[in-house]
């Protein structure tokens, strides 16, 4: 008997009939002789709607209250799903994140899981019940307040619980058949990736591929837990995220490029005229770190000899920009930089592939493809298995399509079906 953890995203539980369909799928897994623990997201666009509602009553809602509000979305879906399963004659119990033992730090809106103590879930399994857990939420160890794990955080709940329960597999159900070589909404010739490594998947997630939450992949890698990303709208085999996808026996040759990811959710801030002195960059980034802002790419220009000043540009989540700009304004007096520039009309396009380690010329091919597509590069950053560029937002689609074609990733026939529409 296997212990299967299944996570259903918002599009899989968007309405009553979806919930009933998912309930059947869960019951079928149970009937096949498995123990089943299910993690659910909020129905459809509930989280966005709740955020809108909050904004209408307050432009900057207190984090504690926002988390209290947003976590209600998952409570709705978990209870409805448990009812639908009960209606099929099976025992199901729903649990909030807190009840399921998801213990976090106290950073509202992007809390980190620090411990998972799922004794109530174990009890439910021992009693042959199906446990349904609200994703995306936990409880702070210090303040005892309810927290959320950041947008898309239900994936992380699923993997963290699967690891703590020593599950055999964590299945992540979404509205596409797996992970594709590019977003099928932009590249219709995108292909399904049968197997991908944790490292590549982490790069994809960090570069805007929304199909899996970055922390969830980090977690899975740490515990060597296989993730199977698949559609709840079909029974097709999806994408396996594992440590060594190209090991012998899998009959898969390592591609040079596994996929092309893109991200429109970042903005660029330029600190203009920073005195070129030891420690200035350190104070700028210390200030941003203290404000809990995750910086992505950084570019420092060569300082102009005449002025002894330099410009430092960096990218960050657009949503964090007001906080970042405010924090930087506060230190303008100390650092004596000249001004701040802000640009949210940017996009990031990234090539990811473990194969690029051993293949020269990947950058040249990528940049030539962008040039042919008439897309200008504003910033560049690389890792061992990734090349990312920042481009103007209106060039993103063309850049993704051009890169996909240049690395022969286009499929001959359209493979990608988007069942739900949200990719969640
Ligand atoms: N409902 C949350 C969100 O929309 C969490 C999730 O879907 O994973 O971000
Ligand atoms: Mg999701």
């Amino acid at each position: 008997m296997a212990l299967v953890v299944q996570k259903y995203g918002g599009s899989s539980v968007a309405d009553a009939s979806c919930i009933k369909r998912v309930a059947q799928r869960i019951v079928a897994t149970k009937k096949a002789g498995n123990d089943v623990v299910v993690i659910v997201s909020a129905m459809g666009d509930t989280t966005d709607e709740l955020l809108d509602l909050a904004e209408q009553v307050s432009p900057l809602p207190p984090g504690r209250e926002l988390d209290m509000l947003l976590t209600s979305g998952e409570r709705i879906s978990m209870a409805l799903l448990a009812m639908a399963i009960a209606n099929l004659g099976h025992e199901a119990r729903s649990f909030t994140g807190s009840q399921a033992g998801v213990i976090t730090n106290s950073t509202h809106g992007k809390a980190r899981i620090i411990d998972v103590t799922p004794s109530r879930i174990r009890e439910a399994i021992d009693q042959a019940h199906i446990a349904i857990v609200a994703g995306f939420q936990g409880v702070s160890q210090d303040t005892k307040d309810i927290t959320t794990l950041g947008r898309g955080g239900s994936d992380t709940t699923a993997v963290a619980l699967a690891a703590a329960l020593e599950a055999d597999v964590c299945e992540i159900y979404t509205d596409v058949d797996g992970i594709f070589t590019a977003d099928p909404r932009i590249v219709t010739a995108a292909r399904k990736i049968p197997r991908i490594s944790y490292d590549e998947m982490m790069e994809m997630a960090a570069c805007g591929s929304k199909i899996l939450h970055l922390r969830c992949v980090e977690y899975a890698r740490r515990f060597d837990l296989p993730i199977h990303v698949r559609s709840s709208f079909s029974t097709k085999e999806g994408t396996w995220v594992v440590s060594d996808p190209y090991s012998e026996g899998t009959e898969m040759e390592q591609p040079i490029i596994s996929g092309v990811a893109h991200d429109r959710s970042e903005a660029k801030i330029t600190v203009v005229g920073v005195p070129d002195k030891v420690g200035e960059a350190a104070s700028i980034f210390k200030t941003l770190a203290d404000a809990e802002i995750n910086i992505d790419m950084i570019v420092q220009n060569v300082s102009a000899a005449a002025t002894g000043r330099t410009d430092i540009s960096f990218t960050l989540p657009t949503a964090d920009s007001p906080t970042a700009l405010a924090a930087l304004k506060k230190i303008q007096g100390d650092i004596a930089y000249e001004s701040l520039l802000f640009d949210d009309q940017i996009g990031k396009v990234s090539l990811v592939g473990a194969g690029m380690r051993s293949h020269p010329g990947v950058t040249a091919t990528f940049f030539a493809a962008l040039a042919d597509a008439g897309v200008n590069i504003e910033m560049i950053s690389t890792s061992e298995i990734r090349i990312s560029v920042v481009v103007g937002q209106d060039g993103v689609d063309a850049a993704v399509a051009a890169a996909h074609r240049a690395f022969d990733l286009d499929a001959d026939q359209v493979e990608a079906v988007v069942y739900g529409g949200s990719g969640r």
Side-chain angles (χ1 to χ4, degrees):
M1 185 150 75
L3 171 56
V4 180
V5 170
Q6 300 186 327
K7 178 255 169 176
Y8 291 92
S11 58
S12 299
V13 292
D15 56 28
S17 65
C18 286
I19 291 176
K20 281 157 81 175
R21 199 173 41 80
V22 163
Q24 268 164 0
R25 196 164 185 134
I26 294 166
V27 166
T29 310
K30 174 85 183 156
K31 275 196 182 152
N34 303 295
D35 285 327
V36 193
V37 174
V38 177
I39 285 74
V40 275
S41 291
M43 295 170 68
D45 297 326
T46 304
T47 309
D48 288 320
E49 286 158 15
L50 291 171
L51 272 171
D52 279 352
L53 204 52
E55 214 167 80
Q56 286 174 41
V57 296
S58 160
L60 208 66
R64 179 187 187 279
E65 303 312 324
L66 194 58
D67 278 357
M68 198 59 113
L69 179 73
L70 295 187
T71 51
S72 68
E74 271 72 11
R75 286 178 78 140
I76 295 173
S77 43
M78 75 179 193
L80 289 172
L81 187 55
M83 292 175 198
I85 293 172
N87 188 49
L88 297 175
H90 286 257
E91 295 270 2
R93 296 273 179 281
S94 64
F95 299 92
T96 64
S98 166
Q99 288 176 318
V102 180
I103 317 289
T104 71
N105 66 10
S106 55
T107 314
H108 285 293
K110 45 182 167 187
R112 277 190 170 270
I113 297 177
I114 50 183
D115 198 8
V116 183
T117 52
S119 54
R120 295 196 64 182
I121 307 304
R122 273 231 172 76
E123 255 167 54
I125 298 172
D126 290 345
Q127 291 166 12
H129 294 163
I130 296 167
I132 315 284
V133 179
F136 168 65
Q137 53 180 273
V139 61
S140 157
Q141 190 168 48
D142 306 335
T143 62
K144 307 283 181 259
D145 283 329
I146 298 299
T147 53
T148 61
L149 309 178
R151 296 306 306 270
S154 300
D155 297 346
T156 304
T157 308
V159 170
L161 265 173
L165 295 166
E166 295 176 8
D168 296 280
V169 59
C170 181
E171 298 181 332
I172 307 265
Y173 285 92
T174 178
D175 64 355
V176 286
D177 283 320
I179 295 156
F180 282 80
T181 48
D183 185 339
R185 294 167 193 83
I186 296 182
V187 181
T188 45
R191 294 186 201 188
K192 185 169 74 190
I193 304 173
R195 298 165 71 83
I196 190 169
S197 67
Y198 295 124
D199 289 339
E200 289 167 305
M201 198 57 230
M202 279 169 62
E203 294 279 11
M204 297 271 280
C207 291
S209 159
K210 284 184 201 62
I211 202 144
L212 284 180
H213 203 232
L214 174 59
R215 295 238 184 100
C216 128
V217 191
E218 274 174 6
Y219 225 100
R221 181 174 71 162
R222 178 148 30 108
F223 293 92
D224 202 9
L225 178 84
I227 302 179
H228 186 188
V229 181
R230 56 195 304 197
S231 168
S232 66
F233 297 81
S234 83
T235 51
K236 286 186 208 154
E237 182 89 355
T239 299
W240 285 87
V241 188
V242 294
S243 60
D244 188 6
Y246 318 110
S247 60
E248 274 172 70
T250 51
E251 284 170 26
M252 244 190 82
E253 213 193 312
Q254 182 173 27
I256 302 176
I257 299 302
S258 294
V260 186
H262 73 279
D263 189 356
R264 287 179 228 266
S265 70
E266 293 197 340
K268 180 171 76 175
I269 292 179
T270 304
V271 190
V272 181
V274 181
D276 199 357
K277 286 196 315 226
V278 172
E280 301 293 41
S283 355
I284 289 173
F285 290 104
K286 165 96 172 56
T287 304
L288 296 166
D290 289 346
E292 305 246 9
I293 288 163
N294 280 321
I295 303 302
D296 183 19
M297 287 192 205
I298 302 173
V299 173
Q300 176 173 346
N301 293 333
V302 180
S303 66
T307 59
R309 286 174 182 269
T310 182
D311 297 346
I312 298 177
S313 297
F314 61 89
T315 60
L316 77 172
T318 305
D320 288 344
S321 326
T323 316
L325 289 167
L328 290 172
K329 289 244 168 66
K330 271 202 204 129
I331 57 164
Q332 185 165 16
D334 305 333
I335 297 196
Y337 65 79
E338 283 160 10
S339 59
L340 293 175
L341 294 178
F342 176 64
D343 181 2
D344 61 359
Q345 294 305 304
I346 60 160
K348 185 171 71 167
V349 177
S350 307
L351 285 186
V352 175
M356 69 172 74
R357 280 201 198 104
S358 48
H359 283 83
V362 172
T363 310
T365 307
F366 183 26
F367 290 4
L370 295 178
D372 288 347
V375 177
N376 185 43
I377 301 171
E378 296 182 23
M379 290 167 104
I380 302 166
S381 87
T382 63
S383 81
E384 245 197 325
I385 60 167
R386 174 187 53 80
I387 306 169
S388 302
V389 295
V390 166
V391 301
Q393 203 159 81
D394 48 6
V396 170
D397 287 12
V400 172
H404 199 266
R405 207 174 315 115
F407 288 93
D408 286 331
L409 293 172
D410 283 8
D412 301 333
Q413 280 174 350
V414 173
E415 292 181 15
V417 189
V418 180
Y419 301 90
S422 71
R424 301 218 135 238

